[in-house]
Amino acid sequence: MSKPNPTDRLYSRDHEWVKDNGDGTAIIGITDHAQEMLTDIVFVELPEIGKKVAKSDPVAVVESVKSVSDVYAPVGGEIIDVNKKLEETPELINQDAFGEGWIVKMRLADTGELKTLLSAADYEQLVKEEKH
């Protein structure tokens, strides 16, 4: 069963989360629901630091025993950090999708894009609808 979605972040319809740091930067990862659907994650392809991405661009690739999935940028910006731990321990995403399993940190191009994302409650509703 998925863990509850933290209310201190926003969510995309593609099952990514964004934690706004309040300083023009944000941390991005995939939701617990997404990692559950993927099952055991065996590899994560991280982007280069300095790469600029637009909202909805692929930002990373997550490979599980079941499939290979793109992780899309829920907001646009510049990659300023990547979670290097995932290179050695990709299963951190399975173990702690909302914490140690974060994927990238970015400087936001437009903080207004955050308003296009879902709250935890709205994301919860989306997941329920998808299951039916």
Side-chain angles (χ1 to χ4, degrees):
M1 188 64 203
S2 295
K3 297 181 182 100
N5 298 301
T7 55
D8 66 344
R9 47 201 87 193
L10 298 164
Y11 300 86
S12 75
R13 294 185 174 281
D14 295 318
H15 308 288
E16 289 91 18
W17 58 261
V18 179
K19 185 172 185 194
D20 180 5
N21 294 322
D23 61 358
T25 67
I27 298 170
I28 294 165
I30 64 171
T31 65
D32 199 54
H33 172 72
Q35 72 76 22
E36 215 171 66
M37 296 295 105
L38 286 166
T39 66
D40 296 333
I41 294 170
V42 294
F43 178 74
V44 180
E45 186 182 315
L46 297 166
E48 285 182 32
I49 292 175
K51 179 180 180 177
K52 288 184 170 42
V53 293
K55 181 180 169 145
S56 302
D57 279 357
V59 73
V61 178
V62 175
E63 199 173 311
S64 72
V65 292
K66 225 164 73 169
S67 67
V68 177
S69 298
D70 283 329
V71 176
Y72 298 100
V75 289
E78 180 186 347
I79 308 298
I80 55 172
D81 196 9
V82 295
N83 189 350
K84 291 265 188 231
K85 287 184 190 170
L86 297 178
E87 292 175 342
E88 299 291 320
T89 326
E91 63 275 11
L92 280 173
I93 294 175
N94 294 121
Q95 296 160 2
D96 189 10
F98 292 117
E100 290 291 308
W102 66 276
I103 298 173
V104 299
K105 184 175 180 182
M106 67 189 333
R107 184 170 297 109
L108 303 173
D110 176 6
T111 54
E113 284 185 340
L114 293 168
K115 293 183 180 80
T116 66
L117 299 171
L118 304 169
S119 67
D122 291 341
Y123 177 72
E124 203 77 40
Q125 192 57 44
L126 174 78
V127 171
K128 275 189 194 129
E129 287 166 13
E130 282 185 359
K131 286 182 178 173
H132 294 294

